[in-house]
C-alpha cells in the first residue's frame, strides 16, 4: 500500500453528538459491514463491550480499517464522556487527522472544547461535521459561529443544509455547486442534481465566502478570484487540502448520520482533505542517553520505530499492545527493542483490529496502526525500535486522577484476585491509579470521575469475579509542633526481680526535615548502646500525635542528658522512657494539625471566572495565578484536599459543564478537621 493512499483518522466529540452512529455508517457505506448497528439498540460494531451496550455510550476507543475511493482509512472511534478523556488523548497522539462531530442543536458543548484543546496540543488537522441536522432546533450557522468564537478556529463552510418546512432534505456542495439527496432505505442512492433556484443566491454567497477564505492562504487562487476568472474545482480541492493540513482552516460539513444523509460526502472530505502519513511534520525522537533528536521518516525501508498508545488485557491472547508504526517494517516472530525500558521483546503475532475482531497479518510497515501480541513488559507510551537503531519517541502525557475511593476485598480469596485485577486494569488505563495508604490501611483506587470508577468496579465484579466493598477514603492528615519544648523523664519500675530504670532529658523543636534525631550525650551519661533505643522510642511515639492520633512530622529531637543504673537499665527501659518523654513534650510544644493541600488548575471559558474564584475562596483556597490561553482562562490555585471531594460535580454546575480541572499534591499546611 502506498502511504499517500492511507488516512489515519479519529472521530472525536462531546458525548451523544453521534460519533459511533457516524462510524457505523462509514463502515456500512465502505462495505466493511452489511448491517448498520445502532447505539441505542446496543448493536453497534464499535461499542462492543457489555457496559457500553448497556449504557449506550463509548467507554473505550475502538479501531477499525475500511476503504473509500481507493484510499485505506484507519479509524479510531473515541469516547465523548469527560471521564474517559485519556482515550482521546492517546488516540490524538498517534493520528494524522480527526473528524470533530458537533450536534447541530447542542453546538460546541463542554467536551467539544476539551477534545478540541487536545487536538490543538498535538496540532492535528481537523474536519468539522455538524451532525443531527434533522433535529428540532438544529442551527448549522450558529454552530459554525461557536466553532469560530469559542474554539478560536477558522471554519470554512463547504456544504449547506437544505430544509423544507423544517424537514432536512439534502445538502448543497459549495465546491461542485450541486444539490445532493440521499434516497433508498439506507441512504445508498446519492442523487446529484442542480441547486434549486430558491437556494441558489444563498449558495453563491456562501461559495464566495469560501473562496475568499481560501484566498487568504493561496496567492494563485487569490489572483484568479480578483480577476473574476473561473477557478478550477481541482484547484479548490488542492487549496482546501493544503490549508487543512497546515492547520489554517477547518472544512465544515453538515449531515444527519442517523437519517443516512451526508455520510458519503464526509467520506469524500476525509480522503480529499485530511493528511496521509507523508503530509505534515515528521515524527521526532531522541537517541537514548543523549539530547540528539532525529526526524523519523515515514518509509518502510527505514529502521523500525513504533509507539505503543494503548494496552488491552485479553483473556484469550493475553496482552494486546496497540501501536502506531512511524517507520520501517517488522514481521511476526521477529525481535524488537523496547527502548523505553531497554528490553528486548519478541513479536509473537501481529493483528489488524476491527473493533473486537482480529485479522492476523504477517508484517506491518510505516503508517500502520496495529496490535502486537506476545510483548511481555510494555506500557502505554513505550517506544519499540530496531536493534542497533535505538530511539525514543515522545511519550503521552495523561491527566492525573481526580476522584478516589477506598476498596476492600470481602474474603481472603478475593484479596489475591483483587490485587491481580487492579494491576491489570492499571496497566491498561494510565488514568487509573492504585495505592495502599499505610496510615489508614486502605487500598485506594483513583480515576477521572464517578463513571470511570463505576466502570472499573463493574469490570472487577464481572470480568475478574472479585467480591469487594467500596467506601469513602479518609484524608491523611498529619500533626506537627510550633515551638520548642523540653521534658525530663525518669522511668522507674520495680518488680520482684530486676527493675527498670531510665532517665532522659529530651528537647523537641520544629524542623524542615520530617524527622531528625541528635544525641548530645557526653561522658557516658547514657551508654552508647542505649542511644538507638531512645531514637526508636521517639519515632514510635511520633507515629500517633496527641491531637487526633495522626503521625507527627517536621520534628527535631535532641537527647540532651540522662543517667542510667548499672543493673536495672535496659534498651526497653530507655525506649519506654523516650516514648513517655516524647508524648509529654508534644503537649508543651504547641501541637497543630496539618492537612494536605493540592495544586488545582482549572481551564474554563472566561465568563465563569468570577464564579470559580468565589468558590475557591469558599473552599479555603488561595489564588496563585490567572492567564488567558487560546480563548480559555487558566486559573491556578492551592486548595485543601478535603474541600475537593466531589469537586468535579461542583465545577460542572458552576460552569454549565464547560470547564475542566486537574490537581496534584502540593504540600501540607496548618488546617482543620472537616466536620
Amino acid at each position: 500500500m502506498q502511504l499517500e493512499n492511507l488516512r489515519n483518522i479519529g472521530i472525536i466529540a462531546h458525548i451523544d453528538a453521534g460519533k459511533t452512529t457516524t462510524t457505523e455508517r462509514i463502515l456500512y457505506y465502505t462495505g466493511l459491514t452489511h448491517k448498520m448497528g445502532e447505539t441505542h439498540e446496543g448493536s453497534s460494531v464499535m461499542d462492543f463491550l457489555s457496559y457500553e451496550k448497556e449504557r449506550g455510550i463509548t467507554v473505550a476507543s475502538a479501531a477499525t480499517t475500511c476503504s473509500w475511493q481507493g484510499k485505506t482509512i484507519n479509524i479510531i472511534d473515541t469516547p465523548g464522556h469527560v471521564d474517559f478523556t485519556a482515550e482521546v488523548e492517546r488516540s490524538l497522539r498517534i493520528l494524522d487527522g480527526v473528524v470533530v462531530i458537533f450536534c447541530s442543536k447542542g453546538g460546541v458543548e463542554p467536551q467539544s472544547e476539551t477534545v478540541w484543546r487536545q487536538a490543538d496540543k498535538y496540532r492535528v488537522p481537523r474536519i468539522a461535521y455538524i451532525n443531527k441536522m434533522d433535529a428540532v432546533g438544529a442551527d448549522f450557522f450558529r454552530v459554525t459561529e461557536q466553532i469560530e468564537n469559542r474554539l478560536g478556529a477558522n471554519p470554512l463552510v463547504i456544504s449547506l443544509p437544505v430544509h423544507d418546512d423544517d424537514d432536512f432534505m439534502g445538502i448543497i456542495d459549495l465546491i461542485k455547486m450541486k444539490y445532493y439527496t440521499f434516497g433508498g432505505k439506507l441512504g445508498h442512492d446519492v442523487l446529484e442534481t442542480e441547486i434549486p433556484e430558491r437556494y441558489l443566491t444563498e449558495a453563491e454567497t456562501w461559495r464566495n465566502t469560501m473562496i475568499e477564505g481560501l484566498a487568504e492562504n493561496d496567492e494563485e487562487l487569490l489572483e484568479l478570484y480578483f480577476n473574476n476568472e473561473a477557478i478550477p474545482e481541482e484547484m479548490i480541492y488542492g487549496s482546501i487540502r493544503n490549508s487543512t493540513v497546515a492547520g489554517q482552516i477547518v472544512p465544515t460539513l453538515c449531515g444527519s448520520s442517523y437519517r443516512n444523509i451526508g455520510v458519503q460526502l464526509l467520506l469524500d472530505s476525509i480522503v480529499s482533505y485530511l493528511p496521509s502519513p507523508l503530509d505534515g511534520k515528521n515524527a521526532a525522537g531522541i537517541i537514548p542517553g543523549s539530547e540528539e533528536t532525529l526526524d523519523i521518516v515515514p518509509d518502510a525501508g527505514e529502521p523500525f520505530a513504533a509507539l505503543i498508545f494503548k494496552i488491552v488485557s485479553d483473556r484469550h491472547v493475553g496482552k494486546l499492545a496497540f501501536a502506531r508504526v512511524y517507520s520501517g517494517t517488522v514481521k511476526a516472530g521477529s525481535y524488537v527493542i523496547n527502548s523505553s525500558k531497554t528490553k528486548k521483546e519478541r513479536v509473537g503475532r501481529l493483528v489488524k483490529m476491527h473493533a473486537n475482531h482480529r485479522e492476523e497479518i504477517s508484517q506491518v510497515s510505516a503508517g500502520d496502526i496495529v496490535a502486537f501480541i506476545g510483548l511481555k513488559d510494555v506500557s502505554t507510551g513505550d517506544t519499540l525500535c530496531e536493534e542497533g537503531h535505538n530511539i525514543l519517541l515522545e511519550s503521552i502525557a495523561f491527566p492525573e486522577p481526580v476522584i478516589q475511593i477506598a476498596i476492600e476485598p470481602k474474603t481472603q480469596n478475593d484479596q489475591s484476585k483483587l490485587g491481580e485485577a487492579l494491576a491489570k486494569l492499571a496497566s491498561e488505563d494510565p488514568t487509573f491509579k492504585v495505592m495502599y495508604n499505610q496510615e489508614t490501611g486502605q487500598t485506594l483506587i483513583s480515576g477521572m470521575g464517578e463513571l470511570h470508577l463505576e466502570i472499573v468496579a463493574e469490570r472487577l465484579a464481572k470480568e475478574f469475579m472479585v467480591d469487594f466493598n467500596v467506601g469513602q477514603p479518609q484524608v491523611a492528615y498529619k500533626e506537627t509542633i510550633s515551638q520548642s519544648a523540653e521534658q525530663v523523664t525518669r522511668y522507674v519500675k520495680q518488680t520482684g526481680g530486676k527493675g527498670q530504670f531510665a532517665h532522659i532529658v529530651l528537647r523537641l523543636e520544629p524542623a524542615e526535615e520530617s524527622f531528625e534525631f541528635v544525641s548530645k550525650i557526653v561522658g557516658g551519661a547514657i551508654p552508647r548502646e542505649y542511644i538507638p533505643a531512645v531514637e526508636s522510642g521517639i519515632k514510635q511515639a511520633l507515629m500517633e500525635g496527641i491531637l487526633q492520633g495522626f503521625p507527627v512530622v517536621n520534628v527535631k529531637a535532641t537527647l540532651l542528658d540522662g543517667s542510667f543504673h548499672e543493673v536495672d537499665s535496659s534498651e526497653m527501659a530507655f525506649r519506654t522512657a523516650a516514648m513517655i518523654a516524647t508524648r509529654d513534650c508534644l503537649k508543651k510544644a504547641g501541637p497543630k494539625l496539618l492537612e494536605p493541600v493540592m495544586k488545582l488548575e482549572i481551564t474554563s471559558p472566561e465568563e465563569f471566572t468570577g464564579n470559580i474564584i468565589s468558590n475557591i475562596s469558599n473552599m479555603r483556597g488561595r489564588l496563585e495565578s490567572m492567564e488567558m490561553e487560546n480563548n480559555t482562562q487558566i486559573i491556578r490555585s492551592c486548595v485543601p484536599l478535603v474541600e475537593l471531594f466531589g469537586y468535579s460535580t461542583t465545577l460542572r454546575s458552576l460552569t454549565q459543564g464547560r470547564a475542566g480541572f486537574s490537581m496534584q499534591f502540593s504540600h501540607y499546611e496548618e488546617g482543620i478537621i472537616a466536620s
Side-chain angles (χ1 to χ4, degrees):
M1 179 186 58
Q2 295 179 315
L3 282 178
E4 60 265 27
N5 293 329
L6 178 62
R7 303 288 180 271
N8 289 319
I9 69 146
I11 311 284
I12 63 174
H14 183 88
I15 192 169
D16 206 30
K19 294 179 304 303
T20 302
T21 301
T22 302
T23 308
E24 293 296 320
R25 269 57 182 172
I26 288 174
L27 300 185
Y28 181 75
Y29 293 132
T30 56
L32 193 67
T33 59
H34 303 290
K35 180 178 179 289
M36 285 186 186
E38 301 294 354
T39 307
H40 60 278
E41 294 174 358
S43 61
S44 63
V45 173
M46 303 302 273
D47 286 353
F48 57 86
L49 298 168
S50 60
Y51 36 87
E52 292 179 318
K53 292 177 184 292
E54 287 167 13
R55 291 171 173 81
I57 63 169
T58 303
V59 169
S61 55
T64 193
T65 303
C66 57
S67 297
W68 186 256
Q69 294 182 359
K71 306 287 195 296
T72 299
I73 308 173
N74 289 326
I75 301 174
I76 295 181
D77 177 29
T78 65
H81 195 285
V82 64
D83 286 10
F84 307 103
T85 189
E87 290 287 321
V88 183
E89 185 84 23
R90 57 172 151 206
S91 299
L92 286 171
R93 168 64 181 84
I94 55 93
L95 291 170
D96 298 321
V98 291
V99 176
V100 189
I101 300 181
F102 299 92
C103 172
S104 61
K105 186 177 179 181
V108 175
E109 297 173 277
Q111 189 66 0
S112 310
E113 297 182 63
T114 302
V115 298
W116 195 275
R117 285 197 292 265
Q118 288 172 302
D120 279 341
K121 174 180 172 182
Y122 294 110
R123 298 193 181 110
V124 185
R126 276 146 272 183
I127 288 175
Y129 175 65
I130 300 176
N131 190 24
K132 301 190 177 183
M133 288 307 308
D134 59 317
V136 176
D139 191 334
F140 176 77
F141 302 107
R142 178 180 64 86
V143 181
T144 304
E145 284 178 14
Q146 288 180 347
I147 293 171
E148 183 172 4
N149 298 329
R150 286 193 187 178
L151 304 178
N154 183 17
L156 185 82
V157 174
I158 61 174
S159 71
L160 295 177
V162 172
H163 287 87
D164 188 3
D165 293 332
D166 292 331
D167 195 14
F168 182 42
M169 304 300 295
I171 296 170
I172 294 173
D173 183 330
L174 296 176
I175 303 168
K176 294 183 176 180
M177 284 301 278
K178 297 290 183 182
Y179 175 51
Y180 289 91
T181 54
F182 301 80
K185 186 181 177 183
L186 298 172
H188 264 117
D189 304 329
V190 183
L191 184 63
E192 178 188 298
T193 59
E194 296 301 317
I195 299 173
E197 196 169 328
R198 57 178 169 154
Y199 302 117
L200 196 55
T201 303
E202 184 184 21
E204 286 172 347
T205 301
W206 276 100
R207 178 182 166 85
N208 284 337
T209 303
M210 176 187 74
I211 298 297
E212 287 169 6
L214 289 172
E216 292 177 9
N217 306 306
D218 190 325
E219 290 186 11
E220 189 179 350
L221 191 145
L222 177 65
E223 190 175 336
L224 292 176
Y225 178 65
F226 269 143
N227 295 330
N228 287 322
E229 294 182 38
I231 302 173
E233 268 181 31
E234 289 308 311
M235 179 182 281
I236 296 175
Y237 282 120
S239 183
I240 294 175
R241 178 179 176 78
N242 292 338
S243 296
T244 303
V245 170
Q248 296 163 330
I249 62 165
V250 179
T252 304
L253 305 89
C254 60
S256 170
S257 297
Y258 183 63
R259 288 269 309 278
N260 309 315
I261 299 175
V263 176
Q264 292 94 327
L265 299 186
L266 173 62
L267 276 165
D268 290 343
S269 296
I270 288 170
V271 299
S272 297
Y273 311 134
L274 289 180
S276 75
L278 295 174
D279 298 310
K281 191 178 177 183
N282 290 339
I286 62 167
I287 297 174
S290 76
E291 296 300 312
E292 187 181 346
T293 60
L294 283 178
D295 258 8
I296 298 171
V297 181
D299 186 331
E302 292 287 316
F304 172 71
L307 181 75
I308 293 173
F309 67 94
K310 181 171 179 170
I311 301 290
V312 173
S313 295
D314 187 287
R315 66 178 66 183
H316 302 296
V317 298
K319 190 179 281 187
L320 278 169
F322 286 75
R324 161 73 189 266
V325 182
Y326 283 97
S327 70
T329 302
V330 71
K331 294 181 178 180
S334 60
Y335 286 88
V336 294
I337 300 297
N338 179 346
S339 55
S340 304
K341 294 185 169 72
T342 61
K343 288 189 175 180
K344 193 171 184 177
E345 293 270 8
R346 183 178 181 274
V347 179
R349 291 154 60 197
L350 295 164
V351 291
K352 280 269 190 186
M353 296 301 295
H354 298 288
N356 60 333
H357 299 292
R358 296 186 287 269
E359 175 195 342
E360 197 147 339
I361 52 178
S362 60
Q363 69 174 42
V364 291
S365 301
D368 284 334
I369 294 175
V370 295
F372 288 74
I373 298 174
L375 304 181
K376 302 295 183 189
D377 185 16
V378 289
S379 310
T380 299
D382 284 358
T383 300
L384 301 178
C385 60
E386 191 175 305
E387 197 166 6
H389 293 88
N390 277 19
I391 194 161
L392 272 172
L393 294 162
E394 181 190 354
S395 192
I396 311 169
F398 293 101
E400 284 299 308
V402 295
I403 285 185
Q404 194 174 61
I405 61 171
I407 186 169
E408 60 179 28
K410 286 186 177 179
T411 67
Q412 191 65 38
N413 184 42
D414 289 317
Q415 177 81 48
S416 58
K417 286 201 292 184
L418 179 65
E420 186 181 326
L422 290 176
K424 282 186 177 178
L425 292 174
S427 72
E428 286 185 21
D429 185 351
T431 60
F432 174 68
K433 306 283 187 189
V434 183
M435 64 171 284
Y436 182 74
N437 190 320
Q438 298 280 0
E439 291 160 13
T440 63
Q442 292 175 307
T443 297
L444 302 175
I445 59 173
S446 312
M448 299 306 295
E450 292 169 24
L451 180 61
H452 188 191
L453 294 182
E454 188 183 311
I455 296 290
V456 166
E458 190 173 319
R459 291 188 65 189
L460 284 172
K462 290 185 177 179
E463 281 183 39
F464 298 98
M465 305 299 180
V466 181
D467 278 338
F468 56 89
N469 296 315
V470 294
Q472 293 296 325
Q474 299 174 14
V475 174
Y477 292 95
K478 294 186 187 297
E479 296 180 22
T480 192
I481 56 176
S482 56
Q483 62 195 45
S484 179
E486 291 187 14
Q487 178 67 30
V488 179
T489 296
R490 290 175 66 87
Y491 176 64
V492 181
K493 190 174 182 181
Q494 290 296 333
T495 58
K498 182 183 173 184
Q500 297 285 337
F501 178 88
H503 165 224
I504 65 170
V505 181
L506 180 69
R507 180 173 68 214
L508 297 184
E509 56 192 309
E512 292 296 320
E513 300 290 325
S514 180
F515 175 73
E516 185 181 351
F517 176 75
V518 175
S519 173
K520 292 194 173 180
I521 297 298
V522 292
I526 297 175
R528 190 182 304 166
E529 61 266 27
Y530 294 151
I531 303 296
V534 173
E535 182 179 358
S536 174
I538 296 168
K539 284 182 176 178
Q540 192 170 341
L542 291 178
M543 288 175 69
E544 288 189 21
I546 61 167
L547 292 178
Q548 297 282 343
F550 296 110
V552 183
V553 295
N554 298 348
V555 171
K556 179 181 179 181
T558 306
L559 180 60
L560 299 170
D561 199 2
S563 63
F564 73 105
H565 188 276
E566 290 282 356
V567 176
D568 291 345
S569 288
S570 65
E571 286 187 11
M572 182 185 292
F574 274 98
R575 186 181 298 111
T576 304
M579 290 172 66
I580 296 169
T582 302
R583 291 193 186 110
D584 290 341
C585 216
L586 285 173
K587 294 173 186 174
K588 300 189 289 187
K592 60 183 181 180
L593 198 70
L594 296 176
E595 64 180 340
V597 175
M598 310 298 284
K599 288 180 182 176
L600 180 68
E601 182 174 301
I602 302 164
T603 52
S604 168
E606 192 175 9
E607 62 259 39
F608 302 111
T609 304
N611 291 349
I612 292 170
I613 292 173
S614 174
N615 182 246
I616 288 171
S617 177
N618 292 339
M619 295 190 298
R620 301 185 289 124
R622 292 192 309 273
L623 190 65
E624 301 281 314
S625 68
M626 291 169 55
E627 62 181 270
M628 285 292 292
E629 189 177 293
N630 291 335
N631 300 310
T632 301
Q633 186 78 53
I634 299 175
I635 303 164
R636 296 182 179 90
S637 62
C638 284
V639 179
L641 172 61
V642 70
E643 305 285 352
L644 290 168
F645 287 115
Y647 185 64
S648 56
T649 305
T650 302
L651 185 63
R652 285 172 195 172
S653 65
L654 284 173
T655 63
Q656 299 169 17
R658 292 173 58 195
F661 76 101
S662 63
M663 64 180 181
Q664 64 186 62
F665 174 76
S666 174
H667 62 281
Y668 275 87
E669 66 179 40
E670 190 171 351
I672 58 171
I673 290 280
S675 57

